[in-house]
Amino acid sequence: MIISRRRLLIAGSTAFAGGVVGAPFIARAQQAEFTYKYANNLPITHPMNVRAQEMAAAIKAETNGRFELQIFPSSQLGSDTDTLSQVRSGGVEFFTLSGLILSTLVPAASINGVGFAFPDYASVWKAMDGDLGAYVRQQIAKVNLVVMDKIWDNGFRQTTSATKPINTPDDLKGFKIRVPVSPLWTSMYKAFESAPTSINFNETYTALQTKVVDGQENPLAIISTAKLYEVQKHLSMTNHMWDGFWFLGNRRAWERLPQDVRTIVAKHINAAAEKEREDVAKLNASLQQELAAKGMVVNQPDPAPFRDKLRKAGFYAEWKGKYGDEAWAILEKSVGTLA
């Protein structure tokens, strides 16, 4: 059954509002022994926050009110970089962050974003719930952060264009595309002989509108919520990168919790991550239909020629060198030979 994006958003808003409204009454009944803050950069209606609200209620119930998790969505506590600093210092106890952004602190954390590495979700979860995820978590632990076992889903990234569909690597030659401020993206699009331009996301709509760039790439939920369909005609389902959110914690705050509370908190966070993955998959299916209804022309390119182009251009060899032989071997164990 496909759940429409509208139903998910309404359900999310109601669940979140219900949790916030009810919280003061619970607090008056019993003061929590531990009150921790959880920050993220997504709106309250995103499946991540819908499931986080359920998870917070379940943790509070199972700990008999000893542990209360306060949720701060939509970057309320600061930008990703600011909030990461707060988690490291202990000002915020929990934070979900994309591995692609976490890589500024933990270089290995962006390995899941290697272009055209994952053909589908089955291969993503095989890697991230298996050896690759375990390797990245080991690297995160080295910077004195706690990280939960299950990574949350941000989705595969797709390509939009004002001028033409992207069907083959040749369509990317000379293509003026907005990319995040990150070497992984710039490197990949240079390998495709594109013209990548690093632009902050809050300036992307205007850059597309004024033709500074011809296209951009993002998960479907962002293409929809940012209304990029107003300034983009073509939606190419390239699935060129997969991105997820690691659930990070301040180590000192985590170790202050008694072992029984830690076990309950971790159990519910990891269970919520798996439910959020299912929600995002359903949301993406309905969003593709909605974007087509809004006038976008959707096409499904074959990923194999794109992967071949990156291999011949030396992209995989370059990033194998940056991540190291051990990390690369673990990635290839899940997805097959790249470099």
Side-chain angles (χ1 to χ4, degrees):
M1 180 182 71
I2 299 298
I3 300 175
S4 75
R5 175 172 165 269
R6 178 174 173 77
R7 280 176 59 199
L8 264 175
L9 297 188
I10 291 170
S13 185
T14 304
F16 196 90
V20 171
V21 170
F25 297 98
I26 296 168
R28 277 201 294 272
Q30 179 175 345
Q31 186 64 42
E33 186 179 345
F34 303 96
T35 301
Y36 280 13
K37 294 187 286 292
Y38 160 49
N40 63 70
N41 61 8
L42 295 174
I44 62 171
T45 51
H46 189 280
M48 173 182 281
N49 280 309
V50 176
R51 294 303 182 179
Q53 194 65 27
E54 294 175 356
M55 153 189 110
I59 292 169
K60 184 154 192 171
E62 193 169 340
T63 59
N64 296 315
R66 294 174 68 197
F67 186 96
E68 182 168 3
L69 190 66
Q70 297 177 336
I71 302 167
F72 295 85
S74 301
S75 302
Q76 288 178 8
L77 301 185
S79 69
D80 286 341
T81 307
D82 292 339
T83 310
L84 181 59
S85 296
Q86 292 178 67
V87 173
R88 298 188 76 200
S89 68
V92 173
E93 287 82 13
F94 292 118
F95 181 38
T96 32
L97 184 64
S98 159
L100 302 174
I101 299 171
L102 181 59
S103 65
T104 57
L105 179 64
V106 184
S110 65
I111 194 166
N112 58 264
V114 168
F116 292 93
F118 293 108
D120 51 33
Y121 267 122
S123 59
V124 167
W125 304 134
K126 177 186 174 187
M128 302 313 293
D129 288 340
D131 292 345
L132 188 64
Y135 176 82
V136 173
R137 291 195 301 278
Q138 287 170 5
Q139 304 309 306
I140 294 171
K142 290 179 181 178
V143 300
N144 215 27
L145 288 170
V146 170
V147 57
M148 296 296 147
D149 289 345
K150 299 293 183 180
I151 192 168
W152 299 54
D153 190 17
N154 189 24
F156 279 98
R157 301 176 77 93
Q158 316 300 348
T159 310
T160 68
S161 167
T163 55
K164 61 184 177 182
I166 305 301
N167 273 308
T168 70
D170 285 344
D171 294 322
L172 288 171
K173 281 186 181 176
F175 184 59
K176 293 188 295 181
I177 184 166
R178 174 267 171 184
V179 297
V181 184
S182 165
L184 188 59
W185 272 271
T186 305
S187 168
M188 182 178 78
Y189 284 105
K190 283 184 176 175
F192 285 128
E193 302 172 71
S194 306
T197 304
S198 294
I199 298 172
N200 284 320
F201 184 70
N202 59 358
E203 300 167 0
T204 297
Y205 185 100
T206 303
L208 294 166
Q209 190 176 40
T210 56
K211 312 296 184 188
V212 171
V213 288
D214 296 320
Q216 65 82 55
E217 54 77 61
N218 258 304
L220 292 179
I222 292 176
I223 294 168
S224 175
T225 54
K227 299 186 176 181
L228 299 185
Y229 51 82
E230 294 177 349
V231 287
Q232 298 279 271
K233 178 67 175 174
H234 298 278
L235 170 60
S236 301
M237 300 294 292
T238 46
N239 289 323
H240 55 275
M241 283 180 172
W242 177 81
D243 188 20
F245 296 98
W246 287 111
F247 202 104
L248 307 172
N250 175 272
R251 182 169 295 281
R252 292 183 303 279
W254 183 248
E255 291 176 351
R256 276 200 301 271
L257 299 175
Q259 184 58 55
D260 63 326
V261 174
R262 274 190 239 171
T263 300
I264 292 167
V265 171
K267 177 183 73 174
H268 286 292
I269 289 173
N270 288 323
E274 298 211 47
K275 291 174 185 173
E276 183 264 0
R277 294 175 182 182
E278 296 172 8
D279 294 341
V280 170
K282 292 171 185 172
L283 185 57
N284 282 338
S286 63
L287 279 171
Q288 186 175 331
Q289 297 166 5
E290 285 185 32
L291 289 166
K294 286 183 165 72
M296 296 197 85
V297 180
V298 182
N299 67 294
Q300 303 268 355
D302 178 2
F306 292 87
R307 202 175 294 118
D308 290 342
K309 173 74 174 179
L310 290 180
R311 188 177 293 118
K312 288 172 185 171
F315 170 80
Y316 293 129
E318 175 192 349
W319 285 90
K320 178 181 179 179
K322 290 183 178 180
Y323 291 121
D325 290 346
E326 182 186 4
W328 198 263
I330 295 169
L331 172 65
E332 289 190 329
K333 181 181 172 184
S334 294
V335 302
T337 302
L338 294 169

